[in-house]
Amino acid sequence: MGLNLDDKKAVVAEVSAQLAGAQTMVVAEYRGIEVSDLTVLRKKARESGVFLRVLKNTLVRRAVADTPFAGLAEQMVGPLIYAVSADLHSFLT
């Protein structure tokens, strides 16, 4: 079942709020990654305070408009996972 308009607005608002204080945004294709590996990645992200979600690309494109991350919008195609954080260094190392 798809999202209704209010749900879509809530997702855009949530992503926009995360981007407001963000220093880094990582966009990655997750095709071919084992579910167990994604589970480990999500756990590590949570522990590091990183916003990590699979989202509808059209909603994220709306959220990044008029932000420093707007240039990524044209790359938002396919099955993507998004990571947003004020500091991704501890998450990536």
Side-chain angles (χ1 to χ4, degrees), residues 19-59:
L19 291 171
Q23 188 176 41
T24 307
M25 180 178 190
V26 174
V27 179
E29 186 172 316
Y30 64 88
R31 186 183 348 228
I33 297 176
E34 298 289 329
V35 173
S36 60
D37 293 335
L38 271 177
T39 301
V40 170
L41 182 64
R42 285 183 165 134
K43 181 178 185 251
K44 186 172 182 180
R46 251 189 329 273
E47 291 169 351
S48 301
V50 174
F51 174 85
L52 181 72
R53 287 192 47 196
V54 173
L55 298 161
K56 291 187 172 284
N57 296 330
T58 54
L59 299 179

Side-chain angles (χ1 to χ4, degrees), residues 7 29 32 35 38 45-47 57 60 64 75-76 78 84 88:
D7 292 339
E29 186 172 316
V35 173
L38 271 177
R46 251 189 329 273
E47 291 169 351
N57 296 330
V60 180
V64 299
Q75 304 301 317
M76 296 176 182
V84 179
L88 277 180

Side-chain angles (χ1 to χ4, degrees), residues 8-28:
K8 290 176 182 178
K9 287 180 181 180
V11 170
V12 171
E14 178 185 17
V15 174
S16 296
Q18 293 293 327
L19 291 171
Q23 188 176 41
T24 307
M25 180 178 190
V26 174
V27 179

